[in-house]
Amino acid sequence: GARGDEPEWRWLTLAGIICVAQSFVDLDIPGPWESSSFSQGSIALLGLVLLYMSWFRWTFKVKGVAPVIGRWKDPINSSKKVTGVGVVLVILAYVTGRIEIFPDPTGLLLLLVGMLVLLCGIYVWSVVDGPLHEEE
């Protein structure tokens, strides 16, 4: 169970890692649509949702899905780190999309996550220290 008031995040992390990891190996999971890559991509997307929920619970110590800026301890510095992680994920997506050993959905999934992380980092920066910042 969870410690104190902290929601459980460990099981979500484990399930998410397993769901995403299967997209890095070439498995034959045709599913009802007879497309192995679509099945792997769908399972990996489920894994990404689980990993996001796990990260949210671990980071903010509450259940939920919206990382509102008021919950960030140091939004200016954190937004720079989040943006950097997004850039790294986009580069990894480009690289894995060109390596034949990775199944088709791998690069697409990394690009999706990278772009979402990048968008989050840029948004937070623009609101707390950028062009959308309002002086009080």
Side-chain angles (χ1 to χ4, degrees), residues 27-51:
L27 301 174
D28 187 24
I29 309 172
W33 31 76
E34 301 298 323
S35 172
S36 182
S37 65
F38 186 81
S39 297
Q40 283 188 282
S42 298
I43 293 168
L45 280 174
L46 171 65
L48 292 175
V49 169
L50 295 173
L51 288 173

Side-chain angles (χ1 to χ4, degrees), residues 4 11 14 24-25 42 47 66-67 73 79 82 86-87 89 98 125:
W11 290 109
L14 179 62
F24 286 89
V25 294
S42 298
K73 291 179 183 164
S79 66
V82 168
V87 168
L89 287 171
R98 280 148 184 67
W125 167 80

Side-chain angles (χ1 to χ4, degrees), residues 48 52 55 72 78-90 109-125:
L48 292 175
Y52 176 81
W55 167 82
W72 293 48
S78 295
S79 66
K80 293 173 186 175
K81 292 175 186 174
V82 168
T83 302
V85 169
V87 168
V88 168
L89 287 171
V90 169
L109 290 169
L110 285 172
L111 182 61
L112 173 66
V113 173
M115 294 302 290
L116 290 172
V117 169
L118 194 56
L119 178 64
C120 181
I122 291 171
Y123 170 73
V124 170
W125 167 80

Side-chain angles (χ1 to χ4, degrees), residues 59-82:
T59 302
F60 298 110
K61 310 296 186 238
V62 294
K63 291 182 180 180
V65 294
V68 293
I69 296 172
R71 289 187 174 147
W72 293 48
K73 291 179 183 164
D74 183 8
I76 293 173
N77 290 323
S78 295
S79 66
K80 293 173 186 175
K81 292 175 186 174
V82 168

